[in-house]
């Protein structure tokens, strides 16, 4: 049943219906109010039995989830931005130990400069930590992916990070369907761990592994990701059969069939891209779009298939890999290896800058005419950069760049 | 699609106003998307919220830069911000002010809008009378409903009561109804 809900609230409700037995939270900025919602649901008895554990740092939040999972509990936490980086060591431990923790990442930029707004820098920083990473294209998918994530994580004994664009999705109030308890129970069986810390049947978890077996243990992390490539489409089909909508996939294609130019993106920018694609189609341009849902595992074959007929690809990404371009585009190029078509990288929406339909239209039109650089920054204020570069040239002690550029921006206003 | 932008200051319920509007529209079977101008909110700092209403699912996720409706909760913003930026000439303007557009220096500017599309309403005074506090959101939403007809007063009142239980809900609903009555019967431009 559709209800008008804030996405974060709806995620809290669906998490509760997934019956986690341990929820860990370090609820300070940067954080979404998902864990706040969950604390209410635990307190009022809606989510029971569940141990809600307030901890003293992000490292502790994920460490407690790790311990809970190792003890056989379904464990959940949420974080964002610097919070994810703070817990980075544990992020690797959870996947390295093969523990099926599910964590929401309310995607936000990583400082400095300090910034609390949306982009994908946080997810990209830990893209290779061995977690499955699923990106929600809209608020409904953000809700639904969590149900799918618990099932996928527990089947493979591999953690899943559900990436939900901070603010743009987490703070949006719109009609959302929170999957019903009966349906969630039918879709998501109780957790049956492959390893468990049990005093009646003692094992140790987390042995030191030397060169004799490290590669092989690590290989298993890759193997699980390959298994996920197979399982994600199957689980999405199961989800569709039970819940009646398309949520979760390796990727979602939009008007790609006869498209000469295809835009590849992830997350909340998908809807705006689709509107831009419709407008450009009306103007006679053969353009389409692909929204990646799975970023890890990266769907090389599925993406190569979806991009098959295109003459060029534009990757719109909310992260910057300084010294290279974009983390996503280099992955997309891997899917197109052997095909001599251009893959343009467009960096957009960093630190919460809106990615507008108008800018997307301009970008796609230019790319369609092969009139963009390999690497382009959408809506970049070149004058602001030139002024700062001039200050660098002018004198050694040019001062802090962020402050200089903010001062310029204020003056311009 | 109707795109609404609400300007006010932190603490005035700007974000809540957009959400309430979306709840009211949802009750009528409309698709509604409400979201704040994201940032670290401080009491008194300029705040913007957005609401889109449509009869089909809404895919756009950009801030509203070319609104159909601008609601100004605090007229002191007029001096420091271009709150009307991008507003369509056939759009609607609702300003919280017990004075008229002439006093605000906008008499000539509002001439561009169709008759009955631009109104000042004393929402703060109405809020004081009904709530005992100068929180103009609900009163302005009543004015929005009266001015544009985009949502029914009953849906709005139901949304307000759902969000605020008991007496607070009733008082806010009454404030909305009072402003609705002011804006409803096509009065002369203030």
């Amino acid at each position: 049943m559709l209800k008008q809900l804030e996405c974060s609230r709806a995620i809290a409700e669906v998490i509760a219906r997934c019956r986690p037995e341990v929820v860990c939270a370090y609820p300070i900025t940067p954080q979404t109010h998902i864990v706040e919602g969950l604390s209410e649901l635990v307190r009022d008895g809606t989510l029971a039995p569940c141990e809600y554990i307030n901890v003293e740092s992000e490292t502790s939040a994920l460490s407690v989830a790790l311990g809970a999972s190792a003890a056989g509990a379904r464990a959940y936490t949420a974080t964002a931005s610097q919070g994810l980086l703070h817990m980075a060591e544990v992020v690797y431990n959870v996947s390295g130990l093969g523990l099926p923790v599910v964590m929401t990442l309310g995607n936000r930029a990583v400082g400095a400069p300090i910034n609390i707004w949306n982009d994908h820098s946080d997810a990209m920083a830990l893209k290779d930590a061995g977690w499955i990473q699923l990106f929600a294209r809209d608020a409904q998918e953000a809700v639904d992916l969590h149900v799918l994530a618990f099932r996928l994580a527990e089947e493979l004994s591999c953690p899943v990070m559900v990436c939900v664009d901070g603010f743009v999705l987490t703070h949006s109030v719109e009609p959302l369907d929170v999957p019903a308890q009966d349906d969630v129970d039918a879709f998501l069986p109780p957790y049956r761990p492959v390893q468990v810390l049990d005093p009646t049947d003692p094992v140790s978890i987390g042995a030191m592994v030397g060169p004799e077996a490290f590669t092989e243990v690590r290989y298993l992390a890759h193997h699980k990701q390959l298994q996920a490539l197979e399982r994600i489409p199957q689980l999405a089909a199961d989800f569709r059969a039970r819940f009646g909508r398309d949520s979760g996939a390796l990727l979602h294609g939009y008007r790609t069939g006869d498209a000469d130019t295809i835009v590849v993106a992830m997350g909340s920018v998908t809807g705006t891209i689709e509107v831009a694609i419709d407008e450009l189609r009306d103007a006679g341009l053969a353009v389409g779009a692909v929204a990646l849902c799975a970023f890890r595992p990266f769907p090389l074959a599925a993406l190569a298939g979806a991009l098959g007929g295109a003459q060029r690809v534009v990757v719109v990404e909310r992260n910057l890999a300084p010294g290279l371009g974009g983390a996503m585009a280099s992955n997309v190029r891997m899917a197109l290896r052997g095909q001599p078509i251009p893959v343009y990288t467009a960096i957009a929406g960093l630190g919460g800058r809106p990615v507008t339909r108008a800018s997307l239209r301009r970008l796609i039109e230019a790319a369609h005419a092969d009139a963009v650089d390999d690497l382009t920054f959408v809506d970049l204020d070149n004058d602001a950069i030139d002024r700062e570069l001039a200050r660098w040239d002018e004198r050694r002690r040019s001062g802090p760049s962020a402050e200089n550029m903010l001062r310029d921006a204020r003056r311009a206003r | 699609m109707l795109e609404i932008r609400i300007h006010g200051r932190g603490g005035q319920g700007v974000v809540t106003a957009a959400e309430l509007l979306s709840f009211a529209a949802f009750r009528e079977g409309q698709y509604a998307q409400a979201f704040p101008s994201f940032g670290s909110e401080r009491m008194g700092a300029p705040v913007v919220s957005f609401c889109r209403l449509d009869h089909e699912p809404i895919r756009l996720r950009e801030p509203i830069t070319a609104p159909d409706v601008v609601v100004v909760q605090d007229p002191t913003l007029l001096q420091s911000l271009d709150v009307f930026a991008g507003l369509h000439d056939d759009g609607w303007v609702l300003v919280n002010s017990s004075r008229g557009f002439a006093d605000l220096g906008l008499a000539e500017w509002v001439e561009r809008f169709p008759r009955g599309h631009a109104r000042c309403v004393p929402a703060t005074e109405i809020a004081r009378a009904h709530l005992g506090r100068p929180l103009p959101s609900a009163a302005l939403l009543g004015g929005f409903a009266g001015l544009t007809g985009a949502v029914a007063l009953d849906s709005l009142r139901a949304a307000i009561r759902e969000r605020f239980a008991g007496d607070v809900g009733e008082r806010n609903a009454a404030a909305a109804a009072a402003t609705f009555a002011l804006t409803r019967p096509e009065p002369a431009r203030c």
Side-chain angles (χ1 to χ4, degrees):
Chain A
M1 190 186 62
L2 283 178
K3 279 165 54 177
Q4 188 77 7
L5 281 173
E6 188 189 43
C7 180
S8 286
R9 176 69 202 186
I11 291 175
E13 289 184 13
V14 82
I15 291 296
R17 289 176 194 182
C18 292
R19 304 186 189 278
E21 293 154 292
V22 174
V23 171
C24 316
Y26 183 56
I28 66 159
T29 298
Q31 181 61 275
T32 62
H33 24 299
I34 298 169
V35 288
E36 195 180 316
L38 277 165
S39 74
E40 290 164 16
L41 294 170
V42 172
R43 195 186 50 211
D44 72 13
T46 307
L47 171 53
C50 179
E51 194 79 35
Y52 187 95
I53 304 174
N54 245 323
V55 294
E56 76 289 356
S57 77
E58 283 90 357
T59 299
S60 300
L62 192 57
S63 294
V64 171
L66 181 155
S69 186
R74 182 172 287 166
Y76 171 83
T77 190
T79 191
S81 179
Q82 244 81 6
L84 180 73
L85 269 61
H86 193 289
M87 61 169 68
E89 180 181 340
V90 194
V91 172
Y92 276 84
N93 280 335
V94 171
S95 59
L97 297 174
L99 295 168
V101 173
V102 169
M103 177 163 70
T104 310
L105 181 65
N107 297 103
R108 304 194 196 193
V110 172
I114 299 175
N115 176 296
I116 58 162
W117 291 269
N118 167 241
D119 72 27
H120 291 166
S121 307
D122 49 8
M124 291 301 115
L126 287 176
K127 66 185 190 304
D128 298 316
W131 287 54
I132 290 165
Q133 284 185 326
L134 304 177
F135 280 78
R137 71 190 145 151
D138 58 27
Q140 184 65 60
E141 192 170 47
V143 173
D144 296 341
L145 280 179
H146 287 90
V147 184
L148 202 141
F150 275 111
R151 180 147 158 213
L152 181 65
E154 290 172 7
E155 274 187 14
L156 301 177
S157 212
C158 178
V160 178
M161 201 182 287
V162 180
C163 299
V164 180
D165 277 334
F167 295 111
V168 184
L169 293 181
T170 57
H171 287 53
S172 179
V173 175
E174 54 188 83
L176 293 172
D177 175 53
V178 179
Q181 186 68 67
D182 289 353
D183 286 326
V184 175
D185 287 342
F187 184 86
L188 179 63
Y191 173 36
R192 289 174 49 234
V194 299
Q195 54 183 340
V196 64
L197 292 174
D198 177 358
T200 64
D201 182 15
V203 292
S204 78
I205 296 177
M208 178 160 173
V209 176
E212 73 281 8
F214 188 81
T215 307
E216 287 69 26
V217 175
R218 291 304 295 149
Y219 176 82
L220 294 177
H222 181 60
H223 179 74
K224 286 181 182 181
Q225 296 270 337
L226 297 181
Q227 286 181 304
L229 275 182
E230 300 290 321
R231 283 305 283 152
I232 290 168
Q234 294 162 357
L235 291 179
D238 280 7
F239 190 92
R240 190 184 313 113
R242 176 155 296 278
F243 298 95
R245 57 179 174 260
D246 281 314
S247 279
L250 293 175
L251 53 84
H252 302 284
Y254 187 73
R255 303 186 82 166
T256 53
D258 61 339
D260 294 329
T261 301
I262 296 180
V263 181
V264 180
M266 294 194 295
S268 64
V269 75
T270 301
T272 311
I273 288 176
E274 287 181 5
V275 173
I277 293 288
D278 286 350
E279 291 173 354
L280 292 167
R281 280 274 178 179
D282 289 346
L285 271 63
V287 294
V290 167
L292 288 178
C293 179
F295 186 69
R296 286 292 181 271
F298 194 81
L300 290 171
L303 185 59
L307 300 177
Q311 291 169 27
R312 66 192 68 75
V313 172
V314 190
V315 181
V316 174
E317 53 182 313
R318 277 195 140 119
N319 83 93
L320 171 64
L324 174 66
M328 213 176 133
S330 56
N331 287 245
V332 174
R333 281 200 180 89
M334 176 90 169
L336 291 172
R337 62 200 178 281
Q339 292 185 44
I341 64 167
V343 176
Y344 302 115
T345 307
I347 309 294
L350 297 188
R353 178 168 293 180
V355 185
T356 66
R357 173 174 40 162
S359 295
L360 286 167
R361 275 189 59 152
R362 274 195 299 275
L363 169 72
I364 301 166
E365 268 175 325
H368 193 67
D370 288 312
V372 288
D373 295 331
D374 268 353
L375 173 62
T376 170
F377 291 76
V378 176
D379 296 335
L380 187 70
D381 182 349
N382 285 299
D383 292 344
I385 290 163
D386 290 345
R387 278 192 296 272
E388 178 62 8
L389 293 181
R391 278 188 288 262
W392 288 9
D393 288 344
E394 202 181 290
R395 56 192 179 127
R396 175 71 194 161
R397 189 177 281 195
S398 55
S401 292
E403 282 74 1
N404 289 343
M405 295 175 98
L406 274 179
R407 217 161 21 239
D408 281 355
R410 263 185 235 119
R411 213 172 288 144
R413 246 187 279 134
Chain B
M1 177 153 56
L2 192 72
E3 296 190 299
I4 302 120
R5 197 170 65 207
I6 304 175
H7 290 270
R9 292 185 184 277
Q12 285 183 331
V14 180
V15 177
T16 307
E19 292 180 8
L20 285 173
L21 185 52
S22 84
F23 291 136
F26 175 74
R27 290 183 156 268
E28 298 178 356
Q30 300 192 54
Y31 287 93
Q33 178 198 62
F35 57 104
S37 70
F38 315 119
S40 23
E41 284 180 16
R42 289 162 293 140
M43 291 287 279
V47 175
V48 188
S49 66
F50 308 94
C51 188
R52 291 192 168 96
L53 308 180
D54 206 346
H55 296 289
E56 45 193 88
I58 298 163
R59 295 180 294 174
L60 271 181
R61 297 268 173 205
E62 60 181 4
I64 295 170
T65 51
D68 302 295
V69 187
V70 168
V71 178
V72 182
Q73 293 206 348
D74 186 333
T76 64
L77 289 168
L78 294 172
Q79 289 135 34
S80 52
L81 279 179
D82 184 7
V83 293
F84 302 115
L87 176 63
H88 297 302
D89 280 353
D90 57 352
W92 283 270
V93 175
L94 183 65
V95 178
N96 173 18
S97 173
S98 54
R99 306 184 310 177
F101 284 119
D103 275 2
L104 297 171
L106 294 172
E108 205 176 311
W109 179 77
V110 295
E111 288 299 325
R112 72 179 65 197
F113 297 101
R115 193 174 166 72
H117 275 221
R119 283 297 307 265
C120 290
V121 290
T124 300
E125 287 74 9
I126 291 170
R128 259 207 200 92
H130 287 272
L131 320 175
R133 297 175 66 195
L135 292 172
S137 299
L140 280 164
L141 290 179
F144 169 86
L147 194 67
T148 64
V151 290
L153 177 62
D154 279 349
S155 316
L156 194 56
R157 283 194 291 205
I160 291 170
R161 289 189 187 110
E162 193 182 346
R163 176 69 173 258
F164 303 106
D167 196 40
V168 177
E170 287 309 321
R171 285 165 180 265
N172 275 290
T179 321
F180 180 85
L182 271 185
T183 49
R184 190 63 190 146
E186 293 279 323
R189 198 170 278 162
C190 63

